[in-house]
Amino acid sequence: MADQAGRNVRDLRRSNRSLLLRHLYFHDQVSRQDLSRATGLSTASVSNVVAEMIEAGIVVEAGAVESEGGRPRILLEVDASRFEVIGVDVGETHVRVERFDLALNELARADLPMSAGHYEPEVVVAAIAAGIAAVGCRPGGAADGGTAGTGGTPGAGEAAESGAPGAVGGAGILGVGIGVPGIVQALPDSVVHCQTMGWDGVPLEAMLRKVTDLPVFIDNGATTMGQAEMWFGAGPEAADTVFLLIGSGVGASVLAGGAPYRGSSTSAGEWGHVTAVIGGRRCRCGSRGCLEAYIGAESVIARYREALGDPSAASSVGGASGAEDEEAELLRILRVAESGQPTPEARAARAVLDDTALHFGVGIGNLVNLFNPERVIIGGWAGLLLASRLLPQIRDVAREHALHYPFSRTAIELGRLGPDAVARGAATLPVARFLNSGGVAANRPAVLTARHRL
């Protein structure tokens, strides 16, 4: 009975720590009085928990402001420099690895190009490991220039409960978040299915544990992009949002009621593989007529080449060139279309882009009718390139193919975090785990939490 009571007290204390830490993380400098009003906790509880987090090195005092008729109010903030995280974007043209402080300010990055058709799991794992080393993190979990050790005491904040690398200490790494294409299952270690890369039940988390001691967190790239936009970009305060990730391929993340909708087997959001044309173009997944086969960057490039009678177009599906070539080619198509010249190249580019906008808009109209979102956010390197030029057309087509009332309540916007949103979102995975635990690092998967729900 005493043990149960002790656990209840510890659980309550950790819950209070999490509540206060999350509020501090997502708001600018606030006082203890502000925290009490915002969270509903008593001033005594706030003072006790804040004292623990200050002693643990998680929170610092950051100045004071005058109060009405009393002592100045001391302002508090999370010490973002004390902890760091790594975010990884596993794409089909590159693996991008970025190191951030706790506030998700970029400290270092590495881009490792992927060779077309060479997506073997061992190759991807080796690229991730090389990227982690390149951004200045040693395998044991410390950033160069800092150490991952243990600081504070269990009584002062319970930060020493976890033996995970970087649990506490100067510049300690809380973990590595990884955004990948395809379907991610936690069994309990993350397993990845991605037909376009030839992955069928790849034990990615177990493979990564062989090359790093850091806690590993894996999720779908569209979901991590959506998390980044919810926390820092275009998505705050919208509980029902669809995030579209368009690169070489196409994916989506559906946020319903402030949390990602994953479906019965975590495969919800494969928007790129809904049927756009019955019996249409061959998709990289092996099916025909998928939306990805009409709006993904690889497909846009292939269709442009086909329009010019380029015999290499057919072989380009499923075998795009490197990241720089693919991005440069898509940008060239956009520029040719905008040139206004009456050349075959310009006419082909405009026709392909008009067709792309048509399929893009119809796909969004279907999302509006199915999910009734407040916002549709377009991201990914190709999505940002295409929609920055085609967004008015895309909106017009979506309006024509959606029910009037739900469309009138939906904003269709570009993401605000740029092409780094997947890696930044992946980095939120260890941060979310840290916040939810009240500042205790642990080697377990993170639960995505929408910012406005804090």
Side-chain angles (χ1 to χ4, degrees):
M1 204 62 167
D3 288 345
Q4 181 64 44
R7 283 195 296 272
N8 290 340
V9 170
R10 287 194 298 273
D11 290 345
L12 178 60
R13 184 170 63 181
R14 183 168 296 182
S15 175
N16 289 343
R17 281 168 59 95
S18 175
L19 183 63
L20 293 171
L21 181 58
R22 289 161 67 184
H23 189 86
L24 281 166
Y25 184 83
F26 288 111
H27 296 80
D28 291 331
Q29 298 173 350
V30 295
S31 68
R32 291 169 176 81
Q33 294 87 341
D34 295 330
L35 285 171
S36 179
R37 285 192 293 270
T39 64
L41 297 178
S42 69
T43 54
S45 293
V46 169
S47 295
N48 289 336
V49 173
V50 166
E52 291 178 356
M53 291 195 291
I54 289 175
E55 187 173 351
I58 300 169
V59 171
V60 295
E61 294 183 341
V65 294
E66 295 296 327
S67 61
E68 297 179 3
R71 293 180 298 175
R73 291 181 295 134
I74 304 300
L75 299 178
L76 306 165
E77 65 182 10
V78 174
D79 187 356
S81 65
R82 180 73 183 275
F83 305 98
E84 296 178 3
V85 290
I86 292 174
V88 180
D89 172 8
V90 176
E92 296 179 44
T93 56
H94 67 265
V95 170
R96 173 168 294 163
V97 181
E98 299 183 54
R99 181 161 60 90
F100 303 91
D101 68 13
L102 192 61
L104 277 295
N105 298 305
E106 184 186 301
L107 303 175
R109 75 158 62 189
D111 281 309
L112 296 93
M114 298 294 293
S115 299
H118 293 282
Y119 308 127
E120 295 85 356
E122 297 80 8
V123 172
V124 172
V125 168
I128 293 172
I132 291 173
V135 298
C137 180
R138 297 190 296 275
D144 286 348
T147 59
T150 300
T153 65
E158 298 179 338
E161 284 186 16
S162 169
V168 191
I173 305 292
L174 296 176
V176 181
I178 303 169
V180 298
I183 300 164
V184 180
Q185 292 182 295
L187 299 172
D189 287 346
S190 295
V191 173
V192 182
H193 305 263
C194 183
Q195 284 180 224
T196 57
M197 292 174 65
W199 289 16
D200 184 12
V202 171
L204 186 60
E205 184 173 348
M207 295 175 69
L208 286 165
R209 292 191 189 284
K210 295 179 180 179
V211 298
T212 180
D213 294 331
L214 293 168
V216 174
F217 306 82
I218 303 173
D219 210 333
N220 172 269
T223 303
T224 69
M225 183 196 78
Q227 179 77 337
E229 291 286 352
M230 285 299 298
W231 282 23
F232 305 111
E237 309 306 327
D240 297 282
T241 302
V242 179
F243 299 95
L244 308 180
L245 177 63
I246 297 96
S248 299
V250 175
S253 174
V254 179
L255 195 76
Y261 175 71
R262 298 182 182 274
S264 62
S265 60
T266 70
S267 66
E270 289 293 337
W271 181 60
H273 299 288
V274 300
T275 300
V277 177
I278 295 174
R281 295 177 59 85
R282 177 72 69 182
C283 179
R284 301 179 308 159
C285 73
S287 186
R288 284 193 176 275
C290 294
L291 183 61
E292 181 176 300
Y294 294 89
I295 70 171
E298 190 172 302
S299 172
V300 173
I301 293 168
R303 289 188 295 123
Y304 173 69
R305 291 173 178 170
E306 289 170 6
L308 294 176
D310 185 342
S312 69
S315 62
S316 68
V317 177
S321 54
E324 293 183 1
D325 290 342
E326 190 167 293
E327 294 182 27
E329 180 67 6
L330 182 60
L331 187 58
R332 190 180 74 82
I333 293 170
L334 289 163
R335 288 173 176 166
V336 168
E338 292 171 348
S339 69
Q341 299 298 316
T343 63
E345 291 82 4
R347 286 194 295 269
R350 287 192 289 270
V352 167
L353 292 177
D354 286 345
D355 191 55
T356 300
L358 173 64
H359 288 290
F360 211 142
V362 170
I364 290 177
N366 288 336
L367 291 172
V368 171
N369 290 341
L370 280 171
F371 296 107
N372 186 26
E374 298 171 60
R375 297 181 186 178
V376 176
I377 307 298
I378 301 170
W381 69 266
L384 294 171
L385 278 178
L386 291 167
S388 65
R389 274 87 166 171
L390 304 177
L391 191 55
Q393 288 175 258
I394 292 169
R395 284 181 175 144
D396 288 344
V397 174
R399 183 183 296 108
E400 293 173 2
H401 291 82
L403 295 172
H404 295 168
Y405 180 71
F407 182 83
S408 73
R409 310 292 293 179
T410 302
I412 304 172
E413 305 173 358
L414 294 178
R416 297 177 188 169
L417 300 181
D420 293 339
V422 173
R424 188 177 298 271
T428 69
L429 299 177
V431 174
R433 175 59 183 80
F434 185 70
L435 299 179
N436 291 345
S437 68
V440 180
N443 194 12
R444 299 306 308 156
V447 177
L448 293 181
T449 306
R451 176 176 182 172
H452 70 282
R453 291 298 185 188
L454 303 173

